[in-house]
Amino acid sequence: MTSSQHAPAFDTGPLSWVIGEIRGALERASAALNDAATRASEAQPTLLLHAKTHLHQAHGALQMVDVEGVGLLTAAAERALDRFKERSLDCSADSVKAVREAFGAIGEYLDELVAGSAPQPVRLFPYYRALQELLGAERIHPSDLLNIDTARSAELPRSDGEAAPDYAACRAMFEKSLLPYLKSTDAEAQRLHAGALAAAIAPLAHSGTDAQARTAWRALHAFATLVADGVLAADLYVKQLFGQINLQLRRLSQGQAGLPDTMLRDALFFIAAAREGGDEAALLRRAFGLEGAVPANYT
């Protein structure tokens, strides 16, 4: 795991008081879970209950300190333990591996925080992803681990006098370049198509009286611009967000207002991950306190 010198300072005092309790509880939970995986099915419920009890102890101690992101992993691990107990998931050595590795990663992450590393909960994403895959989650995204207040609006300059955007025209322009972008394997062609995608949503980023909606579209435009500039690579999560933007444009052209919080969260995640790019992205990183929030090797 790596950290960033730009991430906010973390008060290690409260965590240092309870880290021994947390580490011990997670180790006992892991041992009980490993024991359950090697036993006959009739012996498993009791051992799984022990594992869940120890996990609750760790979770209770974690609630006493302000460590962002870790609670998502412990909550996912608890759901997995429940599934094992209900037998909707097979409690085998292979299936419990993701839970046990998550326990180990949490302990390592907390040790690094106490040692002075900056808090970057996205460093836990590989373990969070493994738990969510085990649970068959519909949505799995590293932005879930970021603490972002999506209700706020950034004080960004706007163009006065702009007419309301033509949503149908924006959607048509966006869709024209989306499929070529998704299908292309050439980096230069991808950047070209991404530039057209950014241009298609630019009218939404620079108009409107709702500051929160304008902030969200400004973030999505900044994200698309970062892809067009080659700062962000065309990975699975990038392509997923472009697909979500297309669906949102369709809703707007049909008269449906609003914008899912997850889209803003995902866009801000990529803006934080980029760490460079145009003025728009830099303004948003500062406005939402995202400097150093995402490590380069988060996958």
Side-chain angles (χ1 to χ4, degrees):
M1 293 184 185
T2 59
S3 62
S4 167
Q5 62 182 351
H6 300 295
F10 177 75
D11 181 5
T12 61
L15 177 58
S16 65
W17 301 332
V18 296
I19 191 170
E21 178 185 346
I22 295 169
R23 190 189 301 110
L26 290 175
E27 287 172 354
R28 291 190 295 274
S30 182
L33 185 55
N34 186 55
D35 200 6
T38 61
R39 297 292 188 91
S41 58
E42 58 269 17
Q44 289 180 341
T46 299
L47 291 165
L48 290 170
L49 181 59
H50 290 164
K52 188 171 179 178
T53 299
H54 296 310
L55 179 57
H56 269 303
Q57 291 173 351
H59 187 70
L62 280 166
Q63 287 182 320
M64 298 170 60
V65 294
D66 187 20
V67 183
E68 296 172 0
V70 174
L72 286 175
L73 272 77
T74 56
E78 184 169 339
R79 289 196 297 274
L81 291 176
D82 288 337
R83 299 272 189 92
F84 292 146
K85 195 168 182 293
E86 296 163 359
R87 297 186 182 177
S88 58
L89 274 179
D90 182 34
C91 183
S92 65
D94 286 340
S95 59
V96 303
K97 182 181 178 184
V99 183
R100 298 187 65 222
E101 288 185 346
F103 290 160
I106 291 170
E108 179 185 348
Y109 179 66
L110 297 179
D111 283 339
E112 290 177 355
L113 290 181
V114 170
S117 292
Q120 286 181 310
V122 178
R123 286 151 57 193
L124 294 167
F125 176 63
Y127 308 96
Y128 174 72
R129 177 179 57 198
L131 286 172
Q132 294 293 76
E133 288 173 347
L134 177 68
L135 293 166
E138 209 168 289
R139 170 187 161 86
I140 306 174
H141 201 286
S143 73
D144 294 343
L145 292 164
L146 277 186
N147 182 28
I148 301 175
D149 180 9
T150 55
R152 71 188 299 180
S153 59
E155 293 297 327
L156 299 172
R158 58 169 295 194
S159 301
D160 293 327
E162 288 259 357
D166 183 339
Y167 297 128
C170 291
R171 176 193 171 194
M173 182 178 174
F174 193 90
E175 287 190 334
K176 183 179 179 181
S177 294
L178 179 60
L179 191 58
Y181 170 78
L182 295 176
K183 285 188 169 183
S184 177
T185 57
D186 177 72
E188 187 175 347
Q190 286 175 338
R191 289 195 294 271
L192 182 65
H193 296 311
L197 294 172
I201 61 175
L204 285 81
H206 297 281
S207 65
T209 56
D210 187 314
Q212 199 171 328
R214 190 167 62 251
T215 295
W217 280 107
R218 191 70 66 91
L220 291 166
H221 180 258
F223 151 75
T225 302
L226 289 169
V227 179
D229 290 344
V231 178
L232 291 174
D235 67 7
L236 171 65
Y237 302 112
V238 166
K239 292 179 179 179
Q240 283 179 344
L241 184 51
F242 275 130
Q244 290 164 11
I245 293 172
N246 187 46
L247 290 175
Q248 187 60 27
L249 288 172
R250 183 182 304 171
R251 295 186 192 104
L252 287 172
S253 66
Q254 294 170 347
Q256 301 177 39
L259 188 79
D261 279 352
T262 53
M263 288 181 64
L264 172 57
R265 177 179 292 277
D266 293 354
L268 291 172
F269 170 83
F270 287 116
I271 288 167
R275 295 206 194 98
E276 56 184 78
D279 294 339
E280 198 169 43
L283 281 169
L284 287 160
R285 275 195 295 274
R286 289 195 297 270
F288 285 89
L290 297 173
E291 295 291 350
V294 178
N297 58 341
Y298 65 89
T299 56

